[in-house]
Amino acid sequence: MLKPCPLSCLLFIFFFVFFIPKLSFSCPQDQRQSLLEFKNLLMTHNVKNHSIAEIDLMERFMTWRPNSDYCIWQFVRCSPSREVTHLNLSSLGKTDFIYTQNTVSVSFSFLRPVLRINSLVMLDISSNFIQGEIPGDAFVNLTRLISLDMSYNNFLSSIPPKLFSLKTLQYLNISLSGFEGEMHGDAFLNLPRLISLDMSYNLFNGSIAPKLFSLKTLKYLNFGVNDFGGEIPGDAFVNLTSLISLDMSRNSLNGSIPHELFSLKTLQRLDLSNNVIGGTLSGDIKELRNLQELILDENLIGGDIPPEIGSLAELRELSLRKNKFNGSIPLSVSCTPMGCGSNKN
Ligand SMILES: *[C@@H]1O[C@H](CO)[C@@H](O)[C@H](O)[C@H]1NC(C)=O
Ligand SMILES: *[C@@H]1O[C@H](CO)[C@@H](O)[C@H](O)[C@H]1NC(C)=O
Ligand SMILES: *[C@@H]1O[C@H](CO)[C@@H](O)[C@H](O)[C@H]1NC(C)=O
Ligand SMILES: *[C@@H]1O[C@H](CO)[C@@H](O)[C@H](O)[C@H]1NC(C)=O
Ligand SMILES: *[C@@H]1O[C@H](CO)[C@@H](O)[C@H](O)[C@H]1NC(C)=O
Ligand SMILES: *[C@@H]1O[C@H](CO)[C@@H](O)[C@H](O)[C@H]1NC(C)=O
Ligand SMILES: *[C@@H]1O[C@H](CO)[C@@H](O)[C@H](O)[C@H]1NC(C)=O
Ligand SMILES: *[C@@H]1O[C@H](CO)[C@@H](O)[C@H](O)[C@H]1NC(C)=O
């Protein structure tokens, strides 16, 4: 015998019948179609003469059959309401252990169909050696995206303005992507939830626009190994009140360390190495109470090594090599819980 449905159960049914369908974005048929379109573009362009890489590619997309359930296709994950939420198209040219960047080619235009899937939360297109420019409207429809990994590609272009206007985005990786040129001050303006930004190993140049990193929620920022020049703008980082790791190593930054950096109280890792930063190191470095790693090697920083460094209780790594420090190494620095006299110029 069925029991009568209590009020809560009726409410549930009411909710299910009237609201759930409205919550879904694009319809499942469209999503299946978009995925298949992508697969077709990839295959028609690549599978010609049965090289190992091509056969691997075909095998990896075997599950993507028109009449099967796309939610169990490889690289695809769905929400309970059968919307595609995760798409991992990383390393498409990889056969077992090696990348075959010459045999499988992925053009950004192949991605057009998947960029219509507006329910995507995670998109990984890393390690594909994708060539060429990215259209400025590429990501406009991905209004729920939380994680975007575009690292290890070969875009060889600058970043169009507003490309990353993704209000929900928390993780962005554009490391090793062949991006070049100057960054627009508003390049990352519309990323109010960004937690992690990795733009290392590119060819970004010009100076750092003061408003470039107005990203209050940011914890991890890496723009090391680029060609940014000029002085580090003092107020560039003032709003990064949650920052834990800041890496601007291997650029061409000059001037001196801006005092404002010492207000980043949450910082645990600071790497300014391999620039042409001069001036002196202020004793106010002690304000960075949570600092675990301070890496300043290969710059032109002079004057005394401030004894205040010794008061940084969490410091595990200190590297000041190849600078212009003079005077003696303060006892508070040379004798820490890590041991005595390990870091000289
Ligand atoms: C496969 O096709 C490429 C051109 O797309 C060609 O350069 C290569 O020699 C072909 N390989 C074989 C084994 O035929
Ligand atoms: C995507 O898949 C690769 C393996 O092919 C894996 O290394 C990577 O972590 C995955 N990306 C995400 C965001 O899960
Ligand atoms: C975004 O969605 C609109 C409406 O569905 C479509 O016309 C447009 O081509 C899409 N743009 C991209 C880049 O996917
Ligand atoms: C970004 O991608 C590169 C290359 O794929 C990887 O080495 C790096 O760890 C990634 N960064 C983050 C913050 O995950
Ligand atoms: C930045 O690099 C581009 C080429 O990638 C070049 O045209 C431009 O002059 C460079 N700008 C600066 C300030 O070096
Ligand atoms: C820091 O945030 C304040 C308040 O939101 C804003 O007025 C200021 O322009 C921001 N500064 C920078 C350098 O982004
Ligand atoms: C810092 O770099 C900029 C841009 O490369 C240059 O114009 C300026 O003269 C440099 N300043 C110093 C003090 O070297
Ligand atoms: C130590 O460095 C400071 C700052 O660069 C400089 O003013 C001072 O003359 C130097 N002292 C010696 C003894 O070289």
Side-chain angles (χ1 to χ4, degrees), residues 287-332:
E287 301 297 322
L288 300 179
R289 248 166 277 129
N290 293 302
L291 210 58
Q292 297 174 4
E293 293 174 49
L294 175 62
I295 305 160
L296 304 175
D297 12 307
E298 307 213 24
N299 279 292
L300 305 170
I301 306 169
D304 291 328
I305 298 175
E308 287 86 347
I309 288 182
S311 70
L312 295 169
E314 307 294 325
L315 203 63
R316 284 192 276 104
E317 188 180 342
L318 172 65
S319 197
L320 308 173
R321 289 177 313 114
K322 299 199 179 168
N323 274 288
K324 299 207 173 297
F325 289 113
N326 56 28
S328 55
I329 298 177
L331 276 183
S332 62

Side-chain angles (χ1 to χ4, degrees), residues 45-46 48-51 54 102-103:
H45 194 267
N46 279 294
K48 294 173 212 119
N49 50 16
H50 307 289
S51 74
E54 292 166 5
N102 299 318
T103 33

Side-chain angles (χ1 to χ4, degrees), residues 25 84-88 108 114-125 138-150 163-174 190-195:
F25 275 47
V84 176
T85 52
H86 293 61
L87 196 52
N88 188 344
F108 198 84
V114 306
L115 298 175
R116 290 199 304 256
I117 304 178
N118 52 16
S119 52
L120 279 180
V121 167
M122 188 285 284
L123 178 62
D124 188 341
I125 54 170
F139 302 117
V140 287
N141 288 333
L142 303 186
T143 51
R144 290 205 239 168
L145 204 62
I146 289 177
S147 170
L148 176 59
D149 191 342
M150 303 168 58
L163 179 66
F164 297 119
S165 292
L166 295 164
K167 292 206 159 57
T168 49
L169 202 67
Q170 295 180 12
Y171 305 93
L172 176 60
N173 193 343
I174 54 173
N190 259 323
L191 295 168
R193 302 211 185 136
L194 202 66
I195 292 173

Side-chain angles (χ1 to χ4, degrees), residues 27-40 64 66 70 73 113-114 116-117:
C27 96
Q29 280 314 319
D30 290 346
Q31 303 208 331
R32 179 202 305 275
Q33 200 48 47
S34 298
L35 293 171
L36 286 173
E37 251 176 66
F38 164 74
K39 181 192 169 186
N40 284 342
W64 290 40
Y70 61 87
W73 289 356
V114 306
R116 290 199 304 256
I117 304 178

Side-chain angles (χ1 to χ4, degrees), residues 237-250:
F237 306 107
V238 288
N239 285 337
L240 301 184
T241 47
S242 311
L243 204 62
I244 288 175
S245 176
L246 175 57
D247 190 334
M248 40 181 138
S249 62
R250 294 203 248 167

